[in-house]
């Protein structure tokens, strides 16, 4: 989800459903995860993830609805986040 959002946007999960379909052991071998955004809107998105073995058998499947929101205090031109004194140190006594 994160890689598809424009700079300055964040997300959180509204719900998460995971189905484990096959056991994963040391004999399973290499496991591959594939994530997909099924539907992306302005406020919400629907995502899914699949866990596959080397033979492309489905080991687990997950879906999540995500809430999209602007990240406050983020400068859109940089990766810098500006914090207020209270955010930087929540235990500090403010005047």
């Amino acid at each position: 989800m994160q890689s598809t959002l424009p700079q300055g946007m964040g997300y959180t999960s509204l719900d998460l459903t995971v189905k484990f379909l096959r056991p994963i052991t040391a004999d399973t071998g290499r496991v591959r995860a594939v994530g997909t955004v099924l539907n992306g809107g302005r406020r919400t998105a629907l995502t899914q993830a699949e866990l596959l073995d080397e033979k492309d058998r489905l080991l687990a499947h997950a879906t999540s609805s995500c809430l999209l929101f602007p990240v406050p205090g983020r400068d859109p031109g940089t990766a810098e986040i500006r914090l207020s004194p209270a955010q930087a140190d929540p235990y500090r006594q403010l005047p």
Side-chain angles (χ1 to χ4, degrees), residues 21-44:
L21 306 172
R22 293 176 182 263
I24 298 175
T25 67
D27 296 330
T28 301
R30 185 173 285 224
V31 174
R32 179 171 51 105
V34 178
T36 308
V37 177
L38 299 175
N39 186 325
R42 289 185 308 147
R43 301 292 293 156
T44 61

Side-chain angles (χ1 to χ4, degrees), residues 5 9 22 31 38-39 48 52-53 63 68 77 83 91 95:
L5 293 177
M9 290 295 287
R22 293 176 182 263
V31 174
L38 299 175
N39 186 325
Q48 80 170 2
L52 305 159
D53 69 7
T63 58
L68 311 179
L83 300 176
Y91 300 104

